[in-house]
Amino acid sequence: MQLPTGNGPLHERTWGIDREEGQMVNDLISISSEPIEVPFIEVPDDLKSNLLVTSVDALVNWGRKSALWPVSFGLACCAFEMMATAMGRFDIARFGMEAFRASPRQADLMIVAGTVTWKMAPPIRRIYDQMADPKWVISMGVCATSGGPYFGSYSVVPGVDHIIPVDV
Amino acid sequence: MAVREWAGQELSEALRRELPEAVEGFDETAAWVNPSQVGAAAIFLRDEPSLDFRFLNSITAIDYVEYFDVVYHLTSLKQQWCAVFKTRLYGRQDLSLPSVYQVWKGADYQEREIWDLMGVYFEGHPNMKRIMLWEGFEGHPLRKDFL
Amino acid sequence: MTIRTEPMTVNVGPQHPSTHGVFRVRITFDGEDIVEVEPVFGYLHRGTEKLAEERNYVQVVTLTDRLDYTSSMINNQAYCIAVERLLGVEPPPRAKYLRTLTAELQRIAAHLIAVGFFVQELGAFGTPLMYAFRSRERILELFEMLCGARITVSYMRPGGVFADAPREFWPALDRFLEDFEVEFAEMEQLLLENEILMIRTRGVSPIPPEVAVNNSVSGPVLRASGVNWDWRKQDPYDAYDQVEFDVPVGSHWDNYDRFWVRIQEVHQSLRIIRQCIEQIEPGPARLELPLVLRPDPGREAYGRVEASKGELAFYLVSDGGIAPYRCKIRSPSLINLTIIEELLVGWKLADMIVSLGSIDINMGEVDR
């Protein structure tokens, strides 16, 4: 993170930073025209029929055991639903997931909740990079997944998988 | 008590008394003001006690391809009335209007937004940065020719 | 003894746990004092105004839900009023009452969130916000009965509402009102005269009325600055001219008053809801309008409501087509933010987030 330089009011001094960040956004747009390929897990033929059941059980058990700590990444409307899951009625604490972390370094799951704009894309990428492995990403709702009602807008990313690999 | 809305004729006559060169005409709901006189008209509208428009509701720019209209909605909280004045800019490039930032500070972000999304520059605004989009974005997206 | 300090510029956000959404602000501090502020917006700019030009008049309703996502009903209402003015039609009385009622329910939900987060930002982690969300869930359940959605409701349509309330809605509403009385009293008891809250907010960041007016501030923030101005009273729309309510006005102009005005408005909203239940009469809930609306070319309409954040207006211009030629959204959150300098400069770092919380911005509406 650079510091503003020069004299004058603050907004005059930050021109350089703004231009640099704008350049970052444009660079990111030019390299993210295609969704990021997520490695596909090869399943042997004889396991295919009963893989789903075992893997959900395993996932739930593992989730209960290791208690995911999500990084709260609320962007828009979905953020309120994400908060509602943490509150009394839906109570995410049942799964040991109530510890919403403010710092990406303490979290192992990122819930992208809400519309992702190109201006927001570099911070998302940076926060994802700051998370420690192993890490997972949930794309919550249609806006984050594909742009949803805003698909085709000049400033909306057509799916967060253009920027970071998404698991769910 | 409901807020009274000024008719365009009424407002243009009130303006014409003080600033005859500023008024270009009127329609049903709004007075038309010469683009170069927007600053003077704004000060008059705010400070004249019989008008008292101290509250700027919104500024809108509309792209009609050959020209741009900029619409100002005003309210007087004391007198409980509101009015509209408009101004028209011809052309597509290097458009500019006098800023009303010094008159109504509430114009700050709206003028920046119009510059960002419509490409109408406001002379005299202290901070004409893009507000919604990032620096380096090509074009002004709310224009009709932006795809 | 004074300690000499160097000014330091700090970047807060866009992803910061206690900012409201993806808000970013650059601040220069001198020691703990705030010297300069530069807000940076646009992290949720989705181009709603451009997209509205490509959808027909009814489809735009779904976009308005996502502006201020804590008060979708009121956004729907503002847009529908603008379209009705454009067409020159009037919804039937039952629709007006249903709209007023749901808008007030939504206002309670939005103010609960505002109050809950305001207190959360003071450091009361958990309990008050849990109280707020407990009651809010009940309201969202009522909305689910009406239209099947919790947040992005799209309940209202130009010419009325999407459908009349189901029969089981009314007893559920009564039950809610009964329970909410108790729940809200509990919350008030905890917060209203809380000593910590008073010390932290009384006298902090006062905004004088003339400054507020010159900055085009509206809504609870304007009223907390001592200006008695509520569009529901000044320019009654829907059924607001049929109901009685008071407009709470602050006298100290500070953070506490902004919090207090919201609490009082919840009481007034309850009053309005009760009157709506009494006055509502059977009848059609929606005007029969063609499926695709085509207002006359050259017409324009400025439809405004008093939303939970302030004056929300849609300025629509028609060219005779099936989509608005221009759909400008006058968003209260963005324009209320104009006072950010008056609000923060000269105050301490610890008050920054609280003051921001007191004007209750919502990024969906700021950036659109």
Side-chain angles (χ1 to χ4, degrees), chain C residues 36-323:
Chain C
E36 275 179 308
V37 183
E38 187 198 5
V40 185
F41 316 95
Y43 289 94
L44 198 54
H45 178 68
R46 298 159 294 191
T48 307
E49 292 181 10
K50 183 80 177 176
L51 289 173
E53 292 171 9
E54 294 157 8
R55 282 164 165 68
N56 72 35
Y57 282 95
V58 179
Q59 286 170 332
V60 177
V61 175
T62 56
L63 290 179
T64 66
D65 283 336
R66 290 159 179 82
L67 290 174
D68 176 358
Y69 33 81
T70 58
S71 64
S72 318
M73 282 289 185
I74 308 180
N75 300 344
N76 288 177
Q77 194 183 19
Y79 175 74
C80 292
I81 285 173
V83 175
E84 281 154 13
R85 286 196 185 153
L86 200 62
L87 293 165
V89 295
E90 186 96 344
R94 188 174 174 85
K96 285 186 172 181
Y97 277 106
L98 277 171
R99 278 193 198 175
T100 311
L101 197 150
T102 48
E104 289 308 317
L105 279 175
Q106 184 75 77
R107 191 183 314 276
I108 294 178
H111 281 344
L112 280 174
I113 288 181
V115 168
F117 277 98
F118 176 72
V119 182
Q120 166 119 339
E121 277 151 16
L122 275 167
F125 195 86
T127 313
L129 191 63
M130 287 274 192
Y131 277 1
F133 266 75
R134 175 182 65 180
S135 307
R136 179 174 175 265
E137 286 295 334
R138 298 285 304 274
I139 296 176
L140 297 188
E141 263 171 34
L142 291 172
F143 287 168
E144 256 183 292
M145 281 184 183
L146 289 171
C147 56
R150 285 158 50 85
I151 289 188
T152 51
V153 286
S154 293
Y155 178 54
M156 298 175 196
R157 294 283 189 282
V161 295
F162 145 75
D164 202 342
R167 217 179 307 127
E168 63 269 23
F169 173 78
W170 301 104
L173 180 62
D174 288 337
R175 259 199 315 281
F176 162 74
L177 289 176
E178 213 171 282
D179 296 349
F180 182 67
E181 203 92 314
V182 182
E183 290 173 4
F184 195 61
E186 214 171 47
M187 196 169 161
E188 274 188 315
Q189 202 186 1
L190 177 68
L191 298 176
L192 212 49
E193 281 169 19
N194 187 309
E195 201 179 335
I196 303 171
L197 196 142
M198 291 288 258
I199 292 170
R200 284 291 306 278
T201 55
R202 220 2 145 200
V204 177
S205 298
I207 301 288
E210 56 275 15
V211 174
V213 170
N214 192 251
N215 282 277
S216 297
V217 168
S218 54
V221 188
L222 181 68
R223 289 192 282 278
S225 289
V227 182
N228 185 344
W229 192 264
D230 188 324
W231 285 110
R232 289 175 291 172
K233 274 259 189 258
Q234 316 299 341
D235 186 16
Y237 48 93
D238 283 350
Y240 284 106
D241 50 350
Q242 307 291 322
V243 292
E244 271 177 39
F245 62 100
D246 298 324
V247 180
V249 175
S251 49
H252 295 77
W253 319 335
D254 56 4
N255 278 351
Y256 183 81
D257 271 4
R258 289 190 269 277
F259 158 80
W260 177 86
V261 162
R262 293 201 175 90
I263 294 267
Q264 298 307 318
E265 281 188 8
V266 170
H267 286 293
Q268 299 305 325
S269 295
L270 286 173
R271 249 177 97 186
I272 298 174
I273 292 171
R274 291 229 169 74
Q275 292 175 56
C276 282
I277 296 174
E278 264 170 39
Q279 293 178 13
I280 193 164
E281 277 170 9
R286 189 175 174 182
L287 206 63
E288 288 299 325
L289 289 173
L291 209 58
V292 177
L293 304 170
R294 282 177 196 274
D296 300 334
R299 281 190 73 121
E300 54 182 54
Y302 189 77
R304 70 178 145 227
V305 301
E306 183 73 32
S308 59
K309 312 283 188 287
E311 178 194 342
L312 173 69
F314 283 80
Y315 182 55
L316 298 173
V317 178
S318 156
D319 63 344
I322 58 168

Side-chain angles (χ1 to χ4, degrees), chain A residues 49-89:
Chain A
S49 55
N50 52 9
L51 182 84
L52 189 71
V53 177
T54 48
S55 69
V56 167
D57 273 355
L59 182 83
V60 170
N61 284 335
W62 157 84
R64 280 187 185 138
K65 190 177 70 194
S66 58
L68 286 168
W69 280 18
V71 56
S72 50
F73 209 95
L75 295 165
C77 341
C78 283
F80 270 92
E81 289 297 63
M82 192 165 75
M83 284 171 220
T85 43
M87 295 297 156
R89 183 172 167 196

